Amino acid sequence: MEDKVLLAVRSAARITRNWRKKQIAVLGGSILLVAKQTGADPMAVLHDVMEWLDDWLEENGKGGDKR
């Protein structure tokens, strides 16, 4: 029984890890696209996105800056 639990936990961790990698790739691609279309520095766009996300998380009771 314990082996099945460990397998399930490892499988869930693997799915989560892959999902996070995809989220990061999509976010990075979006930031680069916005920077290219607006002529802004990609790091400036990234910082704007991070600031917006922190504000949104605080407004929705999800906690603030976790860095």
Side-chain angles (χ1 to χ4, degrees):
M1 178 68 168
E2 207 170 295
D3 291 336
K4 289 183 180 182
V5 171
L6 285 174
L7 274 172
V9 169
R10 287 183 185 140
S11 180
R14 197 169 18 259
I15 290 169
T16 301
R17 182 186 68 224
N18 290 338
W19 177 245
R20 286 185 183 260
K21 286 181 182 178
K22 289 176 184 175
Q23 287 176 315
I24 291 167
V26 168
L27 183 58
S30 300
I31 288 169
L32 290 175
L33 179 62
V34 168
K36 183 177 180 179
Q37 289 182 342
T38 62
D41 177 47
M43 289 305 293
V45 175
L46 173 63
H47 289 292
D48 285 346
V49 169
M50 289 169 50
E51 186 177 312
W52 173 83
L53 185 57
D54 282 342
D55 291 345
W56 185 87
L57 289 171
E58 285 178 16
E59 289 172 6
N60 290 287
K62 307 281 187 194
D65 194 355
K66 302 229 178 195
R67 284 178 258 139

